[in-house]
Amino acid sequence: TTGEFAPGRTGERDAPMESSGGTLKIEVTPADARITIKHENEAERPVSESTLQLPEGSYTVSASARGYASGSQSIRVQGGRTATVTLAL
């Protein structure tokens, strides 16, 4: 939103705030594990990349592979930061 303000005066504006995202690195063993990610109240979705750019928030990363016990880890992604999930099944 644009607008003009007089010097020395304060004002309020209604404008959407941009939420910065962060980076999530996923390290899973074995390498052929099926990986999914779930963001707070959203549906779980499959992931094929090992590095993701995501909006800030809480996530659960899950992995499964034939012949291994499944695993999951919850993590918080913060703007401008890199978070790493390591799952060894």
Side-chain angles (χ1 to χ4, degrees):
T1 303
T2 60
E4 294 183 29
F5 294 93
R9 308 248 342 202
T10 60
E12 292 184 23
R13 284 280 183 187
D14 288 328
M17 292 183 64
E18 292 187 26
S19 174
S20 61
T23 302
L24 178 62
K25 287 188 170 187
I26 303 172
E27 301 171 350
V28 177
T29 305
D32 64 344
R34 179 181 175 270
I35 303 167
T36 60
I37 189 168
K38 183 176 184 326
H39 179 240
E40 295 172 341
N41 297 321
E42 295 178 3
E44 186 176 70
R45 64 181 173 94
V47 173
S48 57
E49 303 86 20
S50 60
T51 301
L52 304 170
Q53 298 299 315
L54 299 169
E56 287 187 5
S58 297
Y59 294 84
T60 300
V61 177
S62 301
S64 61
R66 187 180 191 124
Y68 293 85
S70 298
S72 66
Q73 182 178 340
S74 295
I75 194 155
R76 177 131 184 96
V77 173
Q78 296 178 320
R81 297 195 175 185
T82 299
T84 303
V85 169
T86 303
L87 291 171
L89 307 183

